[in-house]
Amino acid sequence: MRLALTFTALALSLTACASAPDGHVSSLSSTEQLTPGKSGRTTTREYRDTAALNQVKRVYLHPTRLATGKTTRYTLKDNEKTLVLTEVEAQLCFELAERYEMVSDRAQSDAEVHSAVTWFEPTGTAGSGAAAVANFFIPGPLGVRLPGTLGGLGAEAEMTVKDRQVAAIVWARQAQALGTDSPSLSRLGDALQFAEPFGDDAARVMSPEPLPPSRSYTSATDPCAAYGGRINETGFIIDRVTGLYVPATRPQKTPEKAPGTTPEAQKD
């Protein structure tokens, strides 16, 4: 119990220091119309043209890219890039598919969605196990994270209609020392678990108004089936039992199955 209280005090002293960095635009076709959106744990800049979004029915999703340039910041190993990019792309597909018909042929789409990862901070795995143990002894809904374990993710996305931007978001979030962000024994833990809230926010910005009824699919009709399950059931159970976040295992995509990965798309 003394260890748990020590962790809590340390986390409280660091909460103000752990915040998401400002999003740095690097791949959007336009940034002039972006205005501040969320602030706090998640920082966003957003733009949406509601009238244009109301005309969109079919969407083509391009593969998520790793942005490069002076304003980007990440420390990804080669074998980690695909995991983060695939998770971001998967979450975008899951969320957009609830609002639009997802198509694999650009020529059949009303709009196209591009996305990129612009920032990555690895999760410190050494202290995550200890944090999970401490959280077991700390009552209440908020968990404690140790210094040096706080990872993060920065990403951006835009929807275009005939090369004209109709919605865009620049997004960044860093794990907090005290909060609901689960520790992880994976170096990619925070980046991967933050891919889902990024997908939520990106789809929110790209949604028509009023929001149409959510689309539902079977395993045979799901346009995002190439990414695997929408719910990480094993990870959910482990998180509940141990307090540790366990990333979902995504299958390797193939050009025939994954939205936005036709040979034509691979060239752009």
Side-chain angles (χ1 to χ4, degrees):
M1 180 63 69
R2 180 178 299 176
L3 177 62
L5 292 175
T6 300
F7 276 33
T8 304
L10 184 58
L12 287 171
S13 68
L14 292 171
T15 299
C17 301
S19 59
D22 291 335
H24 294 299
V25 178
S26 62
S27 69
L28 300 183
S29 60
S30 173
T31 63
E32 296 178 356
Q33 303 180 90
L34 293 174
T35 57
K38 290 185 176 181
S39 61
R41 288 197 309 162
T42 300
T43 302
T44 70
R45 285 188 286 162
E46 308 171 0
Y47 165 71
R48 65 196 308 267
D49 181 339
T50 303
L53 290 170
N54 287 343
Q55 303 304 312
V56 175
K57 303 298 181 184
R58 297 175 297 275
V59 171
Y60 177 87
L61 178 64
H62 288 264
T64 299
R65 300 175 176 177
L66 186 66
T68 58
K70 295 180 180 179
T71 61
T72 58
R73 179 161 66 93
Y74 48 76
T75 52
L76 284 172
K77 298 179 180 179
D78 288 342
N79 65 323
E80 296 172 330
K81 294 177 182 179
T82 300
L83 294 174
V84 175
L85 296 177
T86 298
E87 187 65 26
V88 169
E89 188 179 323
Q91 295 300 331
L92 281 171
C93 187
F94 295 155
E95 293 300 324
L96 290 171
E98 294 182 4
R99 297 157 169 81
Y100 299 106
E101 177 186 350
M102 305 299 291
V103 297
S104 58
D105 184 353
R106 293 173 64 182
Q108 299 300 316
S109 68
D110 301 318
E112 302 178 30
V113 172
H114 293 268
S115 58
V117 170
T118 59
W119 168 71
F120 169 84
E121 189 72 28
T123 301
T125 60
S128 287
V133 172
N135 290 337
F136 180 80
F137 294 99
I138 300 174
L142 298 181
V144 174
R145 297 283 297 272
L146 291 175
T149 71
L150 306 177
L153 176 72
E156 61 192 23
E158 69 176 348
M159 178 181 284
T160 59
V161 174
K162 296 181 179 179
D163 296 326
R164 182 175 73 86
Q165 185 185 85
V166 297
I169 184 170
V170 176
W171 191 97
R173 176 169 170 176
Q174 185 161 24
Q176 300 294 292
L178 183 65
T180 57
D181 302 326
S182 299
S184 176
L185 297 181
S186 167
R187 215 175 82 94
L188 305 178
D190 287 317
L192 292 177
Q193 67 178 307
F194 292 163
E196 182 175 358
F198 167 69
D200 290 341
D201 281 338
R204 170 181 55 80
V205 170
M206 297 177 184
S207 293
E209 192 175 293
L211 194 66
S214 180
R215 293 170 175 262
S216 59
Y217 304 96
T218 65
S219 58
T221 63
D222 189 350
C224 307
Y227 300 106
R230 294 169 182 256
I231 299 176
N232 181 11
E233 296 179 354
T234 301
F236 176 80
I237 294 172
I238 293 176
D239 193 350
R240 287 292 183 181
V241 174
T242 68
L244 288 169
Y245 169 78
V246 177
T249 301
R250 299 287 177 202
Q252 290 294 317
K253 296 182 301 176
T254 61
E256 292 75 24
K257 292 183 179 181
T261 54
T262 61
E264 181 183 6
Q266 292 175 337
K267 294 178 183 179
D268 60 24

